[in-house]
């Protein structure tokens, strides 16, 4: 993950230079008549974001009268920037949106990019870890977040393993700058990955994995990750812009679902530093999971927001309960 962070930092500096050059060149909004919009990603561009780049490349934003700049965050997260009005829209996920709202940051989820949580605990087959019960006595490589410990505690207790303190059952180490493949060869047994990227990469490397999806281990962990966010101010006072933005974005993801090969080529164009074969393979996998079993792409269910918020409260990840009704909306999704 830190490897990605370095890329993000480099890309952010590049984008800052581009933005500065653009600002020096005059007000584009005055030239085109389009409304300028800033969209802040959660990470470096990847296949979670393909629909956004398709909308940009295909001119779907321009058709709606929007001039959209897609930027990558530096030290400040998308929820903070969107909540503060420094970005119009952003990419985040349900756990961070919930934490932000519990801390008074006024952001709202306006679409789920993936209908189900595609993350889970993975290990190379030779580690013979096929159940959370096998985690006991093993070494987990992570990033030291309270969320990871809460995941581990939950799945252990689901297996009937009393877990007052996770560290008493599992040796937890920080992976540092190592990626999953390096770390599992070095000193860890398993880690938390998103299958649409790291799992697909394992397939490409011909490294068989044992993958345990969080959704299979506990239904309350089927949260929306990632999701598109806007500020409460935009949701309440600039619904026309939000509707236009989401109409274009929805067309982008529809294209990515129906034509994953062409969509991957577009993402590769905007991320020349990435592995094109990995993007194509990941895009093929992701195209089946954007909408999945939902009636339409982007749809969110109140039950999913409520059950994961309860889980966060139960695990003391947030101090205050939040209103699920105020945390998300489907009102900007096109018919």
């Amino acid at each position: 993950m830190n490897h990605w962070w370095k890329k993000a930092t480099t890309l952010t500096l590049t984008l800052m230079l581009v933005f500065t050059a653009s600002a020096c060149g005059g007000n584009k909004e005055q030239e085109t008549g389009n409304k300028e919009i800033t969209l802040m990603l959660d990470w470096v561009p990847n296949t979670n974001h393909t629909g956004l780049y398709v909308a940009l490349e295909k001119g779907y934003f321009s058709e709606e009268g929007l001039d959209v700049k897609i930027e990558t965050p530096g030290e400040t997260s998308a929820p903070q920037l969107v909540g503060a009005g420094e970005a119009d829209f952003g990419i985040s996920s349900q756990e961070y949106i919930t934490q932000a709202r519990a801390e008074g940051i006024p952001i709202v989820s306006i679409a789920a990019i993936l209908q189900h949580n595609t993350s889970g605990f993975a290990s190379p087959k030779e580690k013979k870890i096929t159940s959370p019960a096998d985690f006991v006595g093993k070494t987990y490589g992570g990033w030291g977040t309270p969320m990871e410990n809460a995941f581990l505690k939950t799945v252990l207790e689901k297996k009937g393993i009393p877990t007052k303190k996770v560290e008493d059952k599992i040796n937890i180490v920080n992976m540092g700058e190592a990626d999953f493949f390096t770390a599992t060869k070095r000193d860890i047994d398993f880690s938390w990955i998103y299958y649409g990227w790291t799992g697909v990469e394992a397939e490409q490397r011909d490294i068989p994995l044992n993958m345990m999806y969080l959704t299979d281990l506990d239904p309350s962990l089927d949260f929306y990750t990632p999701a598109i966010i806007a500020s409460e101010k935009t949701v309440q006072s600039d619904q026309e812009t939000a509707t236009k933005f989401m109409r274009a974005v929805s067309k982008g993801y529809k294209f990515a679902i129906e034509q994953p090969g062409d969509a991957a080529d577009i993402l590769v164009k905007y991320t020349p530093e990435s592995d094109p074969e990995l993007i194509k393979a990941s895009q093929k996998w992701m195209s089946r999971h954007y909408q999945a079993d939902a009636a339409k792409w982007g749809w969110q269910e109140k039950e999913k927001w409520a059950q994961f918020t309860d889980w966060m409260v139960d695990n003391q990840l947030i101090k205050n309960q939040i209103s699920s009704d105020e945390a998300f909306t489907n009102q900007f999704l096109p018919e």
Side-chain angles (χ1 to χ4, degrees):
M1 189 172 283
N2 284 330
H3 176 66
W4 281 55
W5 181 253
K6 286 182 177 179
K7 286 186 177 180
T9 303
T10 303
L11 183 56
T12 300
L13 291 171
T14 303
L15 289 168
M16 289 173 64
L17 291 172
V18 171
F19 181 77
T20 302
S22 176
C24 292
N27 189 329
K28 191 174 180 179
E29 185 168 344
Q30 291 180 347
E31 296 172 1
T32 65
N34 287 349
K35 183 171 184 177
E36 291 192 348
I37 295 293
T38 300
L39 168 62
M40 189 62 62
L41 299 182
D42 54 339
W43 204 246
V44 293
N46 59 70
T47 45
N48 283 336
H49 312 131
T50 306
L52 308 172
Y53 285 94
V54 169
L56 188 66
E57 177 69 12
K58 292 288 185 180
Y60 299 156
F61 290 127
S62 297
E63 291 172 2
E64 298 289 347
L66 303 177
D67 181 13
V68 175
K69 290 186 176 69
I70 302 176
E71 299 189 0
T72 306
E75 295 182 356
T76 306
S77 70
Q80 290 173 309
L81 292 168
V82 172
E86 297 298 322
D88 300 288
F89 299 96
I91 307 300
S92 188
S93 56
Q94 188 174 339
E95 70 267 38
Y96 295 118
I97 298 166
T98 302
Q99 286 177 330
R101 290 193 63 83
E103 294 170 2
I105 298 175
I107 57 172
V108 178
S109 175
I110 58 173
I113 291 180
L114 289 167
Q115 191 57 214
H116 296 285
N117 184 354
T118 58
S119 72
F121 296 114
S123 58
K125 282 276 187 185
E126 64 268 22
K127 301 283 186 180
K128 299 181 179 179
I129 300 174
T130 60
S131 162
D134 297 328
F135 294 169
V136 178
K138 299 294 195 303
T139 298
Y140 170 79
W143 294 273
T145 66
M147 184 80 66
E148 293 171 275
N149 278 30
F151 288 154
L152 292 166
K153 182 175 187 293
T154 295
V155 300
L156 286 174
E157 292 182 345
K158 272 278 185 179
K159 284 293 179 181
I161 301 170
T163 311
K164 187 174 182 180
K165 188 178 179 184
V166 174
E167 289 85 347
D168 291 339
K169 304 292 182 182
I170 301 170
N171 179 35
I172 298 177
V173 301
N174 193 314
M175 287 172 58
E177 296 187 359
D179 63 19
F180 172 81
F181 303 101
T182 302
T184 51
K185 283 184 178 178
R186 190 182 60 193
D187 57 358
I188 74 158
D189 295 306
F190 68 108
S191 188
W192 177 34
I193 71 165
Y194 280 81
Y195 195 87
W197 192 261
T198 305
V200 171
E201 186 175 1
E203 291 179 12
Q204 286 196 310
R205 293 180 179 216
D206 197 23
I207 299 174
L209 298 182
N210 282 324
M211 178 75 185
M212 286 175 266
Y213 290 97
L214 292 182
T215 55
D216 295 334
L217 299 175
D218 188 328
S220 65
L221 301 180
D222 188 15
F223 53 93
Y224 294 115
T225 174
I228 299 175
I229 58 172
S231 68
E232 284 186 355
K233 182 179 179 182
T234 297
V235 169
Q236 295 167 3
S237 306
D238 195 2
Q239 296 184 356
E240 181 180 1
T241 297
T243 299
K244 290 179 175 179
F245 177 80
M246 284 310 305
R247 196 155 50 213
V249 169
S250 295
K251 285 178 69 176
Y253 278 98
K254 186 173 186 294
F255 183 97
I257 291 168
E258 295 175 349
Q259 302 182 56
D262 291 342
D265 288 340
I266 290 172
L267 184 60
V268 168
K269 175 182 174 181
Y270 285 90
T271 58
E273 74 283 4
S274 298
D275 177 351
E277 295 307 314
L278 176 56
I279 285 182
K280 290 176 182 176
S282 174
Q283 189 59 47
K284 184 178 180 180
W285 192 90
M286 295 284 281
S287 65
R288 303 192 301 272
H289 296 271
Y290 288 131
Q291 182 174 337
D293 54 357
K296 66 171 71 174
W297 174 85
W299 190 258
Q300 300 173 84
E301 295 286 352
K302 179 180 177 180
E303 180 183 4
K304 195 175 287 189
W305 275 91
Q307 70 180 10
F308 188 63
T309 299
D310 288 344
W311 178 85
M312 292 185 74
V313 171
D314 291 344
N315 285 277
Q316 301 180 329
L317 296 170
I318 55 174
K319 293 181 180 178
N320 304 313
Q321 182 67 263
I322 68 164
S323 166
S324 298
D325 288 325
E326 296 173 357
F328 81 98
T329 179
N330 292 313
Q331 73 181 97
F332 302 114
L333 297 177
E335 294 296 328

